[in-house]
Amino acid sequence: MGGGMERQQRIVKTSVLGIVVNLTLAAFKAVVGFASNSIAVLLDAVNNLSDSLSSIITIVGTKLSGRKPDKKHPYGYGRVEYITGVVIAVIVLLAGVTSLRESAEKAIHPEETAYTAVSLMIIAAAVAAKFFMGRYVKKVGEEVKSDALIASGSDAFFDSLLSLATLAAAVTGMLWGWKLEGVLGVAISLLIIKAGVGMLTETLDSIIGARIDAELSKSVKREIAQFPEVLGVFDLSLHNYGPTELIGSAHIEVADEMTARELHRLTRRISEQVYRKLGVVLTLGVYATGDSSELLTAVGDRAAAFAVKKKDILQLHGFYCDETEKKVYFDMIVDFEADAGAVSAEMQEELSRAFPDYRFDIVIDSDYSD
């Protein structure tokens, strides 16, 4: 809980800093925009106000996501942050589209501007402020895994590019009479739109349920495999209920002579260690394996040979034979692109033909972790 509170406080403090900086910049840019008759600077001021709104949305989303789990939402409210990220990404997109429209009009019908040395200094200071603010906000967002802060930081960075374009256009206009505000604005606006689409896609992936980072999956498997009683780790599945809320499950293979008491102690130790080191709440299932019999060895070899030919079969594991029922159990991981039902039917046919006295219970697993 302490770590969660500390994360929330960092997000809120960073967002409040963003609000103060953006409101200050908006005020100065508004004065410069009206004084110099620059639509670009005025749009920049409005953009700073929208950035302040983004920071307010981030704070609200962070506060809501920090609510405790309840009966209606037993996994908590962590995914609210993803919704916040979507809202901010949409704001970035709208800002890009608005800027593109105004810049295109400015490029077709350029207007005279009247910048002074003081106004140019203010714009230059704004460029520096937004650039460093963007880097800082994005860095904090990556550290605390906040999509909303990352989006706000990226937005601030692109704002600094817009302001830089305005500054460059003003300088070239004063020196050589070139009217480049609109042209530069169009180029930067397209970059902002592209970035907004990227932010939106990434955040929507988190809401839909994208594959968990492969390095985290490997780390979880390594932690489980460190226990000497564990003979194999399979079927790892991790679900994201917020940037810091991960719940998952896995199967461990153990010797079939282990008692229920021993299994209880082992699974508790594994779950506690994985949560302590990686912050993942893990539920464990068990595959029991005994001494390799001639039958299981033969079945395993036959299944492996078939898997080599099929290519769509990524892994076989969890082989176990119930001699009383004359039934062999095992799991098979099939590629997402393949027809899992058809592959399973073919494997059934292959093994039944080779071992007619036995039935085969094949569980199809999905390749979640790697």
Side-chain angles (χ1 to χ4, degrees):
M1 181 64 70
M5 287 298 297
E6 182 182 348
R7 174 181 180 273
Q8 187 178 111
Q9 288 171 1
R10 286 194 70 188
I11 294 174
V12 171
K13 286 180 180 178
T14 304
S15 299
V16 169
L17 178 61
I19 292 171
V20 172
V21 170
N22 281 306
L23 288 178
T24 303
L25 290 176
F28 279 110
K29 288 179 181 178
V31 172
V32 172
F34 282 116
S36 61
N37 189 36
S38 172
I39 184 66
V41 176
L42 288 173
L43 283 174
D44 218 356
V46 173
N47 199 27
N48 283 132
L49 290 176
S50 72
D51 290 346
S52 298
L53 176 62
S54 296
S55 295
I56 293 171
I57 292 171
T58 299
I59 292 173
V60 173
T62 302
K63 290 292 186 181
L64 289 174
S65 69
R67 293 174 62 186
K68 294 181 180 179
D70 52 37
K71 188 173 182 180
K72 191 173 182 179
H73 301 93
Y75 295 108
Y77 292 78
R79 286 181 174 170
V80 169
E81 285 197 34
Y82 297 140
I83 299 174
T84 304
V86 169
V87 172
I88 294 175
V90 170
I91 290 175
V92 172
L93 271 174
L94 290 175
V97 171
T98 301
S99 175
L100 178 62
R101 186 177 64 248
E102 298 294 340
S103 297
E105 185 176 335
K106 190 77 171 179
I108 298 170
H109 305 291
E111 297 178 0
E112 292 295 331
T113 54
Y115 291 104
T116 64
V118 173
S119 63
L120 292 181
M121 289 174 62
I122 292 174
I123 296 173
V127 171
K130 288 295 285 187
F131 176 77
F132 289 109
M133 184 69 197
R135 287 188 60 181
Y136 173 72
V137 171
K138 188 174 182 180
K139 179 175 178 290
V140 174
E142 290 171 346
E143 289 174 356
V144 300
K145 298 180 180 178
S146 169
D147 286 349
L149 276 187
I150 292 172
S152 294
S154 298
D155 188 23
F157 172 74
F158 283 108
D159 286 348
S160 71
L161 291 184
L162 267 177
S163 297
L164 183 61
T166 301
L167 180 62
V171 172
T172 56
M174 291 177 67
L175 294 177
W176 300 293
W178 298 347
K179 299 176 180 179
L180 299 178
E181 264 190 354
V183 175
L184 291 174
V186 167
I188 302 300
S189 298
L190 292 174
L191 285 176
I192 293 174
I193 292 171
K194 180 182 177 183
V197 171
M199 293 176 205
L200 186 60
T201 301
E202 187 173 339
T203 308
L204 287 175
D205 278 347
S206 297
I207 293 175
I208 294 169
R211 183 186 293 272
I212 297 296
D213 179 60
E215 282 304 312
L216 176 60
S217 298
K218 291 175 182 176
S219 297
V220 172
K221 287 184 176 180
R222 277 197 299 268
E223 289 298 328
I224 299 172
Q226 286 179 6
F227 290 81
E229 301 95 333
V230 175
L231 305 178
V233 184
F234 307 101
D235 309 332
L236 176 63
S237 177
L238 298 175
H239 305 281
N240 189 322
Y241 287 92
T244 60
E245 300 294 329
L246 284 169
I247 298 175
S249 61
H251 275 90
I252 56 173
E253 191 171 62
V254 297
D256 60 2
E257 68 264 16
M258 286 189 73
T259 65
R261 184 182 296 275
E262 290 170 335
L263 276 174
H264 182 89
R265 180 171 178 269
L266 173 63
T267 54
R268 280 296 181 89
R269 287 167 57 210
I270 293 173
S271 297
E272 288 170 0
Q273 180 163 310
V274 169
Y275 182 74
R276 185 176 67 254
K277 291 191 174 182
L278 302 172
V280 177
V281 178
L282 199 64
T283 300
L284 293 166
V286 173
Y287 290 130
T289 182
D291 295 332
S292 294
S293 64
E294 290 185 10
L295 172 69
L296 277 184
T297 301
V299 170
D301 290 344
R302 187 84 177 207
F306 181 77
V308 170
K309 291 188 295 183
K310 283 304 295 180
K311 304 297 184 184
D312 292 328
I313 300 173
L314 304 179
Q315 189 185 82
L316 303 168
H317 59 268
F319 284 88
Y320 195 79
C321 179
D322 185 337
E323 286 291 355
T324 304
E325 296 288 335
K326 291 291 184 180
K327 198 172 186 180
V328 176
Y329 302 84
F330 67 93
D331 288 14
M332 182 167 66
I333 296 180
V334 178
D335 190 278
F336 272 111
E337 302 300 322
D339 183 342
V343 173
S344 177
E346 290 178 38
M347 177 66 84
Q348 286 273 7
E349 183 180 349
E350 174 77 8
L351 295 178
S352 296
R353 187 167 55 246
F355 308 95
D357 295 333
Y358 289 83
R359 292 178 295 141
F360 296 90
D361 189 326
I362 305 173
V363 175
I364 299 296
D365 285 339
S366 295
D367 179 27
Y368 292 114
S369 59
D370 295 326

